[in-house]
Amino acid sequence: MISIRPIQTVPDQVFRQLGWEYFISNEAENYLSTDMVQIDAAQQDTYAEAANTLYDIMVQTGEYILQKNLLRELGIPANMHELIRITWEDERNLHLFGRFDFAGGTSGLPVKMLEFNADTPTSLPETAIIQWAQLEANSIAQDKQFNFVYEALIEQFRRLRQLNPGREAAILFSTLRGAPEDDHNVALLREAAGEAGFETAFAYVDEVVFSDINGIFAPGDVNKQPLQFPFWFKLVPWEYIAFDEPELCTMLTQMIKRGQAVVLNPAYTLMFQSKAFLKYMWDLFPDHPLLLETSLEEPIGRSNYPFVQKVIFGREGSNVTVYDDIGLPLEVRGGEYGDQACVFQAYAQLDRDDTGQYYQAGVFFAYEACGLGFRRGEGRIMDDGAQFLGHTVV
Amino acid sequence: MAPFKNFSKNPSWHNRLRRGSMYIAVATMLAACGSDNNQNGGDWEQVTVTEPVKGVITTIEETSDGQFAIVDEQVVENKNDSRIIVKRLSGVTDTLNLDQAKSLVQASDTTLVQSQNHNNHNNGMGRVLWWGAMGYMMGRGFGSPVQSNVYRSGATAFQSGSNASTELKKTAVTRTQLRPVKGRSGFFRNSSRGGGAGA
């Protein structure tokens, strides 16, 4: 059983001052738990080592995918293929950060990789800052938490500058309109980029001006002309760009090819993002203790039950079905991605508490494993109703 | 093929001190709930970037098959008069305009190779143009100087590039005048992707 302790919450005023109103809004009611997970130092190391090992495996698998021309098998549309190859081979396109979702790691359960959110990972403010503020608010020593997410992001932005000599350090951040939690994630990234010496700006993606001759521009207001930004961080998934806005996909390919813009996270992270990638990780590293067997075909035979069916570009638990040990649906979540291809992943046991709730760990990776947070839900599928829990290392 | 290897094999985050300003800000807020310490930025208007007003005529010479060196760079009054004169080994001379030249520059050309002196064999047309004064016409920042190894050896070629670079920089204006001619916006304006992109 997982170990948790109750905590004093961070005062609302802090969220208001940070401009992170979403966390104290009705929409996010109960999102931030009043409990904290307690892990020990060995468990912390296990999570960190798992993420570091898996990222290496992912890079090797990515290389294999490109050598064997398997992008189509990952469900990646053809208009992304060139951009993925270009960015993969050009180190200026630094992968800033991603988040592994893990089952296990506590109560003696083995750590198993569920997926890797490589392109547009969120829950940055709660992992990097809010759970740290929970330490402060509860008079717990600072070193009692595996959380260097913010520092690691600053280091990554510095690295990004070093990898792009001769490119002006000005970065534009964008989200899709209407998702305040995404805006807060980007606000934190903006802060980290600023500390690394970047000039920063924000514009919703629909306001950004793209020119395949001149590059990427933030809109001007009444008195201002647009400003060009050599770096663009978009909290907009690459597959949305490829499927919904193919013209933008073409323009970005031209710009990136000509070196006029660096777009983050890089296009190659779409490979890592595809859940079909998990099948190839398993193929290359069969029976690896951190991996779950994953297949593109529905498993047959009891020895392969229970298992989980997921769509390849699903988010927040949408379109996921958990099948039990006789192959019958145990938990089903619908969603907007039902028309996508599916993968079938062996079921991994999630840790639980004394009320029967399920826990999943999120480990951030930014050049290396750099922080941990937890999600808690009533069911096995963590959706947007799952709570966030900070942690402390005891 | 050399894929990116920018991740650590020697993790180092254990027990590091936190020094980021956000921690300090939040700790201050917690300590003195009620103090006015608004973190909201919004200062992107202060970014000053520059673009050239004048143009450049660059003459390049083929030194061996597919390899080039700049022999001369001269500033011209009008950006649109920028030209690249290519003298090939075969004796043929071509003239390219700026847009034609831009299409020759590949992403890999714009990566600065550290050991410049040993890399003359890599000077394709795109790389040579990007790292000369012509590079400023193609979007390279003025903070990045012209690279001597893309010029023909001897003082005169590099001197012409340095002079052109100085002149372009001196006469450049802030990039607020560079309204994109073919710019498009409004992507995802009517998007059905509600509820954000988070994962």
Side-chain angles (χ1 to χ4, degrees):
Chain A
M1 195 185 297
I2 198 161
S3 169
I4 53 173
R5 58 160 281 180
I7 50 160
Q8 295 289 322
T9 55
V10 175
D12 284 2
Q13 179 122 10
V14 171
F15 294 98
R16 279 192 208 100
Q17 288 179 345
L18 284 166
W20 293 349
E21 307 276 350
Y22 170 77
F23 294 107
I24 48 172
S25 69
N26 290 336
E27 203 188 333
E29 202 184 349
N30 298 327
Y31 173 64
L32 296 175
S33 172
T34 54
D35 292 327
M36 198 176 232
V37 175
Q38 302 187 111
I39 62 168
D40 61 33
Q43 288 164 339
Q44 164 181 334
D45 289 346
T46 305
Y47 280 125
E49 281 162 22
N52 290 327
T53 303
L54 285 164
Y55 197 85
D56 198 350
I57 288 177
M58 298 193 84
V59 170
Q60 293 182 52
T61 308
E63 190 63 22
Y64 173 84
I65 295 282
L66 292 175
Q67 273 174 13
K68 302 283 180 191
N69 288 315
L70 294 169
L71 288 175
R72 216 163 64 89
E73 281 72 8
L74 296 185
I76 294 176
N79 58 352
M80 284 297 298
H81 292 191
E82 185 186 12
L83 196 48
I84 287 173
R85 288 182 182 278
I86 291 169
T87 54
W88 181 261
E89 289 176 37
D90 183 345
E91 68 167 3
R92 293 177 302 177
N93 298 284
L94 179 67
H95 184 192
L96 277 180
F97 71 108
R99 193 193 70 237
F100 286 95
D101 286 341
F102 288 141
T106 46
S107 309
L109 293 170
V111 172
K112 295 287 183 185
M113 175 181 171
L114 298 172
E115 57 191 60
F116 183 51
N117 300 287
D119 179 13
T120 58
T122 50
S123 68
L124 274 177
E126 47 274 52
T127 308
I129 301 298
I130 296 171
Q131 69 166 337
W132 173 82
Q134 288 173 345
L135 290 183
E136 291 278 296
N138 289 273
S139 305
I140 303 170
Q142 276 210 29
D143 60 353
K144 299 292 182 196
Q145 192 171 76
F146 175 37
N147 179 11
F148 301 94
V149 175
Y150 186 63
E151 300 277 303
L153 287 171
I154 297 171
E155 286 297 315
Q156 280 293 72
F157 280 112
R158 288 203 181 109
R159 216 166 266 129
L160 181 65
R161 290 187 62 184
Q162 285 160 9
L163 290 169
N164 285 274
R167 195 183 292 278
E168 188 196 4
I171 182 164
L172 176 66
F173 291 91
S174 295
T175 60
L176 289 165
R177 210 178 277 272
E181 67 276 35
D182 286 6
D183 300 348
H184 298 347
N185 275 271
V186 154
L188 183 137
L189 287 168
R190 206 180 149 182
E191 202 74 31
E195 287 203 49
F198 275 90
E199 295 282 352
T200 70
F202 175 83
Y204 288 112
V205 62
D206 60 272
E207 300 170 316
V208 179
V209 182
F210 301 91
S211 157
D212 50 12
I213 297 175
N214 294 323
I216 297 172
F217 292 75
D221 59 23
V222 181
N223 302 311
K224 303 276 191 226
Q225 296 286 330
L227 287 172
Q228 191 184 5
F229 285 85
F231 295 88
W232 186 43
F233 181 93
K234 39 115 228 114
L235 201 68
V236 179
W238 277 108
E239 78 271 15
Y240 287 12
I241 294 172
F243 288 127
D244 299 2
E245 298 289 3
E247 185 191 345
L248 175 58
C249 190
T250 306
M251 292 176 101
L252 291 174
T253 304
Q254 290 310 314
M255 282 178 223
I256 293 167
K257 213 161 130 178
R258 286 203 296 263
Q260 280 173 323
V262 171
V263 179
L264 303 162
N265 276 315
Y268 61 76
T269 58
L270 185 55
M271 289 198 289
F272 298 165
Q273 187 78 36
S274 164
K275 293 179 182 65
F277 195 82
L278 297 163
K279 170 225 171 358
Y280 293 99
M281 291 174 78
W282 179 264
D283 285 356
L284 291 184
F285 298 86
D287 299 313
H288 192 286
L290 295 169
L291 297 176
L292 292 164
E293 182 168 8
T294 305
S295 156
L296 303 181
E297 283 103 45
E298 186 164 344
I300 300 167
R302 278 205 176 190
S303 60
N304 296 312
Y305 301 155
F307 66 95
V308 181
Q309 178 178 359
K310 306 174 173 183
V311 290
I312 51 178
F313 293 121
R315 292 169 189 282
E316 299 260 304
S318 296
N319 304 95
V320 173
T321 303
V322 179
Y323 291 87
D324 66 12
D325 48 15
I326 56 169
L328 294 174
L330 183 67
E331 271 186 46
V332 182
R333 287 280 191 291
E336 55 180 305
Y337 308 111
D339 53 347
Q340 293 182 7
C342 293
V343 298
F344 302 87
Q345 184 181 48
Y347 178 75
Q349 203 180 334
L350 300 176
D351 204 358
R352 303 178 79 173
D353 60 24
D354 56 4
T355 66
Q357 298 195 89
Y358 293 87
Y359 289 74
Q360 182 176 296
V363 175
F364 275 89
F365 186 95
Y367 193 67
E368 61 193 64
C370 60
L372 169 70
F374 285 86
R375 296 295 293 272
R376 171 167 79 186
E378 302 286 339
R380 294 169 181 81
I381 303 169
M382 297 296 154
D383 57 17
D384 54 7
Q387 286 185 300
F388 177 85
L389 286 88
H391 76 282
T392 175
V393 182
V394 293
Chain B
M1 176 153 61
F4 73 102
K5 290 292 182 206
N6 280 304
F7 63 98
S8 173
K9 306 231 171 172
N10 185 20
S12 62
W13 282 116
H14 288 237
N15 302 319
R16 287 266 303 262
L17 278 178
R18 296 183 177 87
R19 297 180 308 274
S21 68
M22 280 212 85
Y23 297 119
I24 297 161
V26 173
T28 312
M29 289 172 203
L30 281 164
C33 257
S35 70
D36 185 19
N37 194 1
N38 199 328
Q39 290 292 298
N40 286 338
D43 55 352
W44 58 268
E45 296 90 344
Q46 290 170 15
V47 180
T48 49
V49 287
T50 48
E51 66 148 335
V53 176
K54 296 189 175 184
V56 184
I57 294 182
T58 296
T59 308
I60 62 174
E61 209 171 56
E62 194 169 16
T63 53
S64 62
D65 196 16
Q67 299 300 301
F68 293 86
I70 300 174
V71 296
D72 186 51
E73 295 203 292
Q74 295 299 328
V75 171
V76 288
E77 281 305 308
N78 190 336
K79 193 156 86 175
N80 296 328
D81 292 336
S82 294
R83 292 288 180 272
I84 293 90
I85 299 163
V86 186
K87 296 182 170 173
R88 298 191 183 273
L89 280 174
S90 60
V92 174
T93 299
D94 295 323
T95 303
L96 308 175
N97 65 29
L98 190 54
D99 281 343
Q100 289 168 322
K102 273 182 185 172
S103 67
L104 297 171
V105 178
Q106 299 297 314
S108 55
D109 293 326
T110 65
T111 309
L112 187 58
V113 180
Q114 292 305 325
S115 52
Q116 291 290 332
N117 293 336
H118 306 293
N119 219 52
N120 291 335
H121 59 285
N122 258 339
N123 281 344
M125 203 186 291
R127 170 171 288 274
V128 162
L129 293 174
W130 179 263
W131 289 106
M134 187 59 76
Y136 301 122
M137 309 305 298
M138 298 173 165
R140 202 172 102 240
F142 277 107
S144 139
V146 294
Q147 296 295 313
S148 60
N149 73 320
V150 298
Y151 290 82
R152 188 170 63 188
S153 33
T156 47
F158 181 55
Q159 193 58 51
S160 74
S162 297
N163 291 347
S165 155
T166 308
E167 173 73 3
L168 284 181
K169 202 168 176 176
K170 205 168 67 186
T171 54
V173 296
T174 61
R175 204 187 284 158
T176 51
Q177 295 185 359
L178 191 97
R179 181 152 205 148
V181 192
K182 282 177 64 185
R184 246 218 69 179
S185 65
F187 291 109
F188 292 100
R189 182 152 287 159
N190 301 310
S191 175
S192 59
R193 306 283 193 176

